[in-house]
Structure formats: C-alpha cells, structure tokens
Amino acid sequence: MIITNTETVPGRTINRFFGVVSGSTVRTKHIGRDLMAGIKNIFGGELRGYTELLQESRSDALERMIQEAESLGANAVVNVRFSTSSVAQGAAELFAYGTAVQLDQGP
Amino acid sequence: MDPAIVQPLMELGPPLVLLVAAYFTGRYIEVQHYRDIRRREIRWRNLAAVTFRQVPKAWSVEEATLVTGSVVISVDHFKRFLAGLRMIFGGRVRSYESLLDRARREALLRLKEAAAERGCSAIMNVRLETSRMASSRRKGKATAGVEVLAFGTGLRLRRSAA
C-alpha cells in the first residue's frame, strides 16, 4: 500500500478511483501521564507521554484507513490529510482521510 | 516576628518560589532545546523539505511514502505568568512565540529524521498543523501544551547520472 499526501503518486499513473477512505480513533491519556504533564507544565519542556500517545493514535487511525482501502481493492491512498479535534476534556479524536486509488503496475 | 508581616510572606512565598524555579528550569530547557535544534538543522540541511505539490522536473522518483513528525511541548509556569500580564496591556507575547517556534522546528526535524530512516532524500508537499492540547484539570481550561504535526510525502530519488 502506497500512502502519499500529494494528489498523485510521482512516477505512477492512477487507473481507478475508489473515493474517500478514512480512519479515526478517540483516545485519552491515563492519570499517570496527566500527572507528569502537570509537573512539566510548571517547568516547561516536551510532554513525551503526549507525543507518544498522539503518534500511536495517529498511526492507528492511518492503519484503519489503510484497511478500508484494502477492502475496496485499492493499492494506494493519495492526498492523505490529518485532523485532530478534542471531543471532551483530555480526550481527542485523531482522524486520517484520503482518496483510495488503484495504480498501474510500477516500472 | 510580627504576624502581620509573616502571614503575607507565608502566603506569597510558595507561589513566588515556584515562579522563580520555573523561570530557571524553563530557561535552561529552552536554551538546551535550541542548541539541539540548531545542531540537527545543520545535520539535515541537505535533506530538502519543500511545500511543492508537484515533483520538480529535475527529480527522478523511485518511491513515495507518507512521513510524519510530531511533538507536544509545554510552556513553563513563568512564561504563562508573563503571558497573563501581557493580556492586560495587549501586544506581542514573545514567550509563546518561542514555544511555537521550537515546536515547529522540532516537528520538521523529526519529519526529516523519519524520512531519512526510510531512505528518502527529499520530502514534498510538507504541511504543518498546530493544535492545542487541553489538560483534564481546571475543567480543560488549562493548556497542557501545543502539538505540532509535520507531514509530507517522502521521496526516494534515483541518483541521476548528471
């Protein structure tokens, strides 16, 4: 599966379009991480726990999007975008979407 | 000692100590971070990250793949206090500007590092997204930090004969 955030895949041509595919996940951090973040909030610096959490969630959302594309018979997803929205206190939705397409056989 | 002097001191003391401690640690962390950012920026200077949506004609692409880099950074207590003061008079909030600058540069560097790990030598259509992370305490009004996500299409280029 080829994933890009451009409209085409460089060097390949698109044969078929399958439409929009998406994947999302809603996550919240556990108390321990929140506590650590509280301390970091006083002294500054990177909130590593949050960085990791968001990275994991985002790749989860991507994974779900890829699954949907695979079930349609696509071999690539182009023009992928991400969006983050906080649905509640301390919880966030990570959303990935793109266009599932079928590419010709590569060179 | 006169309790009329001691009591305000007892009340003002801890927040003041916290503010001073936050000033020094926050400053130290920022200086260290900037030093690290500059060092890595020099290291990755040759990996081109561009915002073009089309591949430049001179590039011969072998493989394309999505790459991302992200970071969540928190502002320190002292800077938050300064920003609070700023809100009375209005104007530039320098303390937050440097926070966002650090976050963006760090996210871009992580993007480049992720691309290099996959053998890419250029990234096109780079996009930056910023979002605020709310803390679950103080009814979500307290800011836990800002997240910056950098993403783009990593390209593995063919070595041209020219």
Side-chain angles (χ1 to χ4, degrees), chain A residues 3-5 23-25 54-63 65 79-85 93-98, chain B residues 66-70 111 127-131 147 149-153:
Chain A
I3 314 292
T4 69
N5 76 330
S24 84
T25 171
L54 287 172
Q55 259 166 8
E56 283 162 23
S57 325
R58 206 165 272 126
S59 57
D60 243 39
L62 265 179
E63 199 49 54
M65 183 193 77
N79 214 357
V80 171
R81 311 270 172 86
F82 292 104
S83 98
T84 315
S85 47
E93 191 209 20
L94 285 280
F95 185 54
Y97 61 105
Chain B
L66 187 78
V67 282
T68 62
S70 71
L111 176 76
R127 295 281 178 269
L128 286 163
E129 260 178 37
T130 315
S131 53
E147 194 218 6
L149 165 72
F151 64 106
T153 302

Side-chain angles (χ1 to χ4, degrees), chain A residues 43-59:
Chain A
F43 301 113
E46 185 186 349
L47 306 174
R48 242 172 260 279
Y50 281 15
T51 307
E52 278 162 25
L53 177 81
L54 287 172
Q55 259 166 8
E56 283 162 23
S57 325
R58 206 165 272 126
S59 57

Side-chain angles (χ1 to χ4, degrees), chain B residues 3-16:
Chain B
I5 301 167
V6 173
Q7 202 169 8
L9 267 180
M10 290 286 277
E11 272 169 26
L12 268 173
L16 214 64

